[in-house]
Amino acid sequence: MRLTILGSGTNVHPTRAASGYLVRTDHTLLLDFGPRTLANLQKTGVNRHRITHILFSHYHADHFSDFITYFFDAMIFTKYQGGTRPPLTVIGPRGTKRFFRTLFTTLPGFTHAPFAVHFKEVSDRAFAIGKTTVIPRTVTHTHNLHCLGYRIEYGGKALAYSGDSQYCDSLVRLCGDVDLAVLDCSFPASLPNPVHLHAGQCGQVAREAGVGRLVLSHFYPITDRYNVREQAGEAFGGKIVVGQDLMAIKL
Ligand SMILES: [Zn+2]
Ligand SMILES: [Zn+2]
């Protein structure tokens, strides 16, 4: 399994794209698709028209907005440029079907794509994509919003992605004994926030869950001024990676 960080920042950030991760198993998957991640996806050299599954944690714009550009491009590619692509499956939390129904009936042409598009709402139940096992888990982010973290297992390795999350037991369970956990490190420990983890809590989750490697990501601009590795390291003695756009990690 290979992970490439397409975006390690938030909605508006001077140097980092917002949330997005490319995961390669026996399938090519995306976890979230925030602003500026499509440009980074192109830089990876991966054929964007071969992506079969996009998994969303939630629909805050910093996790979603490049999907619109991506889909519009896929329609032009298949309608006017002689291109073909496999069916696309869009997976996300409760409300996914309603959300995309509204979007697709509003944006011109989106309901007439010449390739199959499937929408799937998931909750806390594992499912398979080929030989890849996906385990979504509800995490606590903002009030009244269904947010998912994802655990992906393939080839004897496990990866966890928090999505956006506060500290919660569910997040610790999601990350239980994974080889690599990518956590929402929005803020430094000195600037805690009610709806996101800070660096110290990332370390705490990693320690409690027994993760192999911890990747810190989802940085607000101010967070780059702090030593988040050191802050996370106060709780977690394992390897800590400060996420960067286009960083590739093999599991
Ligand atoms: Zn969010
Ligand atoms: Zn976010």
Side-chain angles (χ1 to χ4, degrees):
M1 175 154 51
R2 280 182 294 164
L3 166 75
T4 305
I5 299 175
L6 300 178
S8 55
T10 43
N11 202 27
V12 177
H13 192 293
T15 55
R16 299 174 185 273
S19 289
Y21 302 88
L22 172 69
V23 179
R24 279 172 277 187
T25 59
D26 58 329
H27 282 71
T28 304
L29 321 170
L30 287 184
L31 294 172
D32 286 337
F33 213 162
R36 306 178 299 285
T37 58
L38 178 55
N40 281 342
L41 176 63
Q42 286 181 281
K43 289 177 195 164
T44 65
V46 164
N47 180 349
R48 65 185 179 278
H49 302 300
R50 306 320 296 171
I51 289 169
T52 53
H53 295 76
I54 304 175
L55 294 84
F56 287 105
S57 61
H58 65 308
Y59 297 108
H60 280 151
D62 60 313
H63 295 253
F64 165 73
S65 71
D66 268 8
F67 174 83
I68 295 171
T69 314
Y70 174 82
F71 196 86
F72 191 52
D73 167 72
M75 287 197 304
I76 289 167
F77 175 68
T78 49
K79 256 187 176 167
Y80 305 116
Q81 296 174 343
T84 57
R85 60 152 298 138
L88 178 66
T89 302
V90 176
I91 296 166
R94 218 165 32 240
T96 289
K97 287 183 179 173
R98 184 170 48 89
F99 178 76
F100 281 97
R101 197 181 310 124
T102 305
L103 196 74
F104 273 52
T105 53
T106 305
L107 289 165
F110 270 49
T111 50
H112 294 93
F115 54 89
V117 189
H118 306 290
F119 300 101
K120 187 174 154 98
E121 288 186 8
V122 295
S123 196
D124 296 66
R125 189 175 295 180
F127 60 94
I129 299 174
K131 291 178 179 160
T132 304
T133 301
V134 180
I135 305 163
R137 189 175 268 282
T138 300
V139 295
T140 306
H141 177 33
T142 59
H143 185 61
N144 277 344
L145 186 65
H146 187 211
C147 272
L148 293 172
Y150 288 99
R151 179 180 177 118
I152 301 198
E153 298 178 351
Y154 177 75
K157 301 286 183 184
L159 157 77
Y161 167 54
S162 65
D164 282 1
S165 182
Q166 308 174 25
Y167 175 86
C168 57
D169 290 344
S170 172
L171 178 61
V172 175
R173 281 207 294 279
L174 177 83
C175 297
D177 295 317
V178 291
D179 298 279
L180 189 126
V182 181
L183 297 186
D184 168 0
C185 183
S186 287
F187 295 104
S190 52
L191 296 172
N193 178 282
V195 302
H196 292 285
L197 296 170
H198 61 64
Q201 291 172 317
C202 289
Q204 183 188 349
V205 169
R207 186 192 67 230
E208 291 175 0
V211 313
R213 262 183 295 176
L214 167 61
V215 178
L216 304 173
S217 194
H218 197 275
F219 300 112
Y220 274 78
I222 195 167
T223 309
D224 283 326
R225 295 192 214 156
Y226 294 80
N227 190 339
V228 288
R229 185 201 307 272
E230 190 176 285
Q231 292 179 356
E234 285 176 21
F236 178 61
K239 184 165 186 204
I240 299 171
V241 178
V242 178
Q244 297 294 341
D245 290 16
L246 294 172
M247 181 183 270
I249 302 172
K250 196 171 184 308
L251 278 79

